[in-house]
Amino acid sequence: MNKKEQVKERIGQAAMECFERYGLEKTTLDDIAKAVGLNKTSLYYYYKNKEDIFIEVAIREGESFINTLQQSTLKKKGVENQIGFYLESRLNYYTNVLNMNRVSVESLDKILPRFFELYDAMMVQEKDFLTKLLLQAIAQEQLDMEDPENTASVLINFANALKHSTEQQAILKKQVEIDYAQSLRDTKFLVSLIFKGIRKQG
């Protein structure tokens, strides 16, 4: 890690502490600069705004979480349990990140477009992981299906769409907090529905 990356990591840690204490919306760049021991002008050398800091740190931590989650998923028995556990855990993690750092609906509306732009690379990795789980289940004659790659893509895309729909509704209705409970129930139903159709019979 070079000096610039070290400074950015310090800024990220300090910023997340500020977000947790004050909330993303009320935290200022002055708060973050003071917490990390820099002046505001120096902070602009690394980041344009506080939202960029949040997104970069959230993506970095998310990548680490996904790697750990994939290892945990492999320990589960049965491909349906594995994929259900994986999709539910990633939704719970995302919800916890927003709650822990007190991200308001207004702030979420600002960060979502940039977040999804940076999240694309991680989604490719996630789809590859689910494809491997499905291929292994096919090889073990647990599933009867022709296109595991497309199925993996549909699972990730639908799980993301359910979450995103919940967020957009909260933004439009100007809700104070976002309730992801329905998204979680719908994700579980989606997994059971898909596996009902592809599980090998007899």
Side-chain angles (χ1 to χ4, degrees), residues 113-130:
R114 180 76 176 134
F115 182 85
F116 282 115
E117 179 187 329
L118 293 175
Y119 188 64
D120 279 350
M122 204 191 313
M123 279 202 293
V124 171
Q125 179 195 344
E126 291 193 279
K127 290 172 184 178
D128 286 346
F129 176 71
L130 293 193

Side-chain angles (χ1 to χ4, degrees), residues 78-93:
V79 66
E80 184 174 350
N81 285 335
Q82 288 176 328
I83 289 179
F85 171 76
Y86 185 85
L87 294 178
E88 291 164 31
S89 297
R90 71 196 286 279
L91 177 58
N92 285 328
Y93 171 78

Side-chain angles (χ1 to χ4, degrees), residues 15-191:
M16 286 307 206
E17 289 172 7
C18 289
F19 299 150
E20 189 174 346
R21 189 177 306 124
Y22 309 122
L24 177 59
E25 196 165 310
K26 292 183 179 178
T27 297
T28 65
L29 286 177
D30 283 324
D31 293 329
I32 298 169
K34 186 176 178 182
V36 81
L38 295 171
N39 60 49
K40 190 175 175 182
T41 305
S42 298
L43 202 60
Y44 278 122
Y45 172 73
Y46 299 98
Y47 293 102
K48 289 188 226 175
N49 52 54
K50 63 187 179 182
E51 287 82 13
D52 279 354
I53 302 174
F54 177 84
I55 292 165
E56 185 172 299
V57 176
I59 291 288
R60 187 169 64 239
E61 291 180 352
E63 288 173 343
S64 176
F65 169 78
I66 289 298
N67 289 331
T68 302
L69 173 59
Q70 289 178 356
Q71 295 305 311
S72 300
T73 299
L74 292 173
K75 296 174 184 176
K76 301 293 178 183
K77 291 185 178 179
V79 66
E80 184 174 350
N81 285 335
Q82 288 176 328
I83 289 179
F85 171 76
Y86 185 85
L87 294 178
E88 291 164 31
S89 297
R90 71 196 286 279
L91 177 58
N92 285 328
Y93 171 78
Y94 184 80
T95 306
N96 289 337
V97 167
L98 295 182
N99 289 337
M100 187 173 68
N101 292 289
R102 295 170 55 193
V103 179
S104 69
V105 171
E106 291 83 359
S107 295
L108 188 63
D109 194 22
K110 294 178 188 174
I111 66 176
L112 275 179
R114 180 76 176 134
F115 182 85
F116 282 115
E117 179 187 329
L118 293 175
Y119 188 64
D120 279 350
M122 204 191 313
M123 279 202 293
V124 171
Q125 179 195 344
E126 291 193 279
K127 290 172 184 178
D128 286 346
F129 176 71
L130 293 193
T131 300
K132 287 174 184 174
L133 292 181
L134 293 169
L135 284 169
Q136 186 177 40
I138 292 167
Q140 294 170 352
E141 299 188 345
Q142 297 175 30
L143 302 179
D144 183 13
M145 60 186 306
E146 295 179 357
D147 196 345
E149 187 174 356
N150 192 46
T151 303
S153 182
V154 166
L155 283 162
I156 291 290
N157 288 341
F158 267 85
N160 284 342
L162 289 169
K163 177 175 68 65
H164 189 53
S165 174
T166 299
E167 292 161 350
Q168 289 300 317
Q169 287 179 44
I171 290 166
L172 290 171
K173 294 176 182 176
K174 302 186 186 300
Q175 294 173 346
V176 177
E177 293 184 2
I178 303 175
D179 183 4
Y180 288 94
Q182 186 61 50
S183 292
L184 188 57
R185 287 192 293 271
D186 289 346
T187 298
K188 289 179 179 179
F189 179 72
L190 171 69
V191 172

